[in-house]
Amino acid sequence: MHNKQRHGCLTAWLIYLIIAYSFSAVFYFFKTEEMSNIAQYNISENMMLLYGSFAILGVIFSIMLLKWIKLGFWGILIISVILFIVQLLNSDRVMSPIFILLCLVILYGLLQFKKANVTGWNNLE
């Protein structure tokens, strides 16, 4: 088996996702008033718990991708689709669901970058 390598852009994106999901989890679990103000709409306590839980899952799935586990991608895909739907149903802001999809497209695109003639996607197990 060859030594697995990932493109630097993919590594940077995965680190960004881990940091972003981590900050989101902290804010959703511990800074609920601030998050409601940032989101500019009222978020119920249950929704804060849902978003915080998904953020923790996002950290886990991103770390899985760093460790070459393909399930990490499918996990991010699932939570992204759920968050996309929740955002569409609970917000009149168009940019939030679009940003969710954009992040997913960027992740998939970066997984297609080659390093040592092998894509990140093909290195996943």
Side-chain angles (χ1 to χ4, degrees), residues 94-110:
V94 161
M95 289 311 294
S96 293
I98 289 174
F99 182 72
I100 292 167
L101 289 183
L102 182 63
C103 287
L104 189 60
V105 168
I106 290 170
L107 174 61
Y108 182 76
L110 290 174

Side-chain angles (χ1 to χ4, degrees), residues 28-29 43-54:
Y28 281 119
F29 284 130
I43 303 174
S44 71
E45 190 173 320
N46 288 339
M47 291 306 289
M48 295 290 233
L49 291 173
L50 178 73
Y51 289 154
S53 299
F54 280 171

Side-chain angles (χ1 to χ4, degrees), residues 9 21 38 41-42 49-50 77 89 98-99 112 118:
C9 292
Y21 282 129
I38 291 169
Y41 61 92
N42 289 329
L49 291 173
L50 178 73
L77 174 69
L89 296 175
I98 289 174
F99 182 72
Q112 304 314 307
V118 181

